[in-house]
Amino acid sequence: MRIALIHALRHSPPPIEAAFARLWPEARLMNLLDDSLSADLARDGALTPVMTERFLALARYAVGTGVQGILFTCSAFGPCIEAVQREFADIPVLKPNEAMIEEAAAAGTRIGLLASFAPTLQSMPPEFPGGITLETRVAEGALEALNRGDGAGHDRLAAEAARALAGCDAIALAQFSLASAAPLVAEATGRPVLTTPDSAVRKLRGLLRA
């Protein structure tokens, strides 16, 4: 079973590869990375038709290699991924956060949503079902720490930001790159913590093994 993983942040491959190694080691992975996508979104402040075409081009390349499924790991690009889902309706094409959102909705009605890339908190909340109250926080400086190679600092800043979410039923980490902070976030808040990589692998495996 060959799965394409399409990334817009260079920090995303390690956590999703680790999740596959734990939860579905038999899957064969193909990584496609264009980290200029996240930089361009941060610069432009909005998704554009040109950006959607770039997502479609990446997906067309992946499908041309014979993949059985596609998982995007870039949480801030929902409408672009939806365009890919429409074009390739015959195979599973997952948004990075849809599986985690489903698990979060089952965990309670008040969910904390923590991000280190602020645009994610614009695109992701509308994807949650009605009846869910979201408390959102940005882990300021965490992504910059990760960019410097300071993984420990990244995780610490994420945990500090998450303390404000301790009153929620569960905490959802909005980006694949935040997965490493899950143990510290759980320790800081005492709440169940959901990560996009683990949730996504569980859902994709279930769809392709059904």
Side-chain angles (χ1 to χ4, degrees):
M1 191 71 66
R2 188 175 187 179
I3 308 298
L5 307 175
I6 301 181
H7 316 283
L9 284 171
R10 61 186 175 88
H11 307 296
S12 299
I16 187 58
E17 289 175 343
F20 268 99
R22 289 194 313 272
L23 302 172
W24 193 9
E26 304 84 4
R28 292 184 296 120
L29 304 180
M30 169 189 182
N31 286 285
L32 294 177
L33 168 65
D34 180 358
D35 59 1
S36 70
L37 286 164
S38 56
D40 290 349
L41 176 58
R43 180 198 65 208
D44 298 340
L47 299 175
T48 65
V50 170
M51 196 166 287
T52 297
E53 283 302 317
R54 291 166 66 184
F55 271 75
L56 287 167
L58 288 166
R60 289 165 186 156
Y61 177 82
V63 170
T65 71
V67 298
Q68 283 78 48
I70 298 174
L71 171 61
F72 287 91
T73 68
C74 31
S75 303
F77 299 88
C80 300
I81 299 168
E82 288 165 7
V84 175
Q85 290 174 327
R86 289 191 294 270
E87 180 160 326
F88 297 105
D90 55 333
I91 65 171
V93 176
L94 267 61
K95 292 180 181 179
N97 38 36
E98 64 180 87
M100 185 182 69
I101 288 171
E102 291 170 3
E103 293 185 356
T109 59
R110 191 174 194 86
I111 302 299
L113 184 61
L114 181 69
S116 59
F117 185 56
T120 300
L121 297 183
Q122 299 172 12
S123 65
M124 192 171 171
E127 298 175 19
F128 279 79
I132 300 294
T133 299
L134 288 179
E135 295 283 346
T136 63
R137 289 292 184 279
V138 176
E140 299 288 354
L143 187 56
E144 290 76 12
L146 203 58
N147 288 336
R148 295 192 303 270
D150 184 5
H154 165 271
D155 294 355
R156 175 180 53 78
L157 289 168
E160 290 175 359
R163 291 183 191 277
L165 304 173
C168 297
D169 297 317
I171 296 173
L173 303 185
Q175 287 138 262
F176 278 60
S177 55
L178 274 168
S180 63
L184 282 184
V185 171
E187 181 181 336
T189 63
R191 310 312 301 160
V193 177
L194 300 169
T195 70
T196 43
D198 283 10
S199 298
V201 173
R202 283 191 288 267
K203 178 166 184 175
L204 193 57
R205 180 178 180 176
L207 289 171
L208 287 169
R209 288 193 163 186

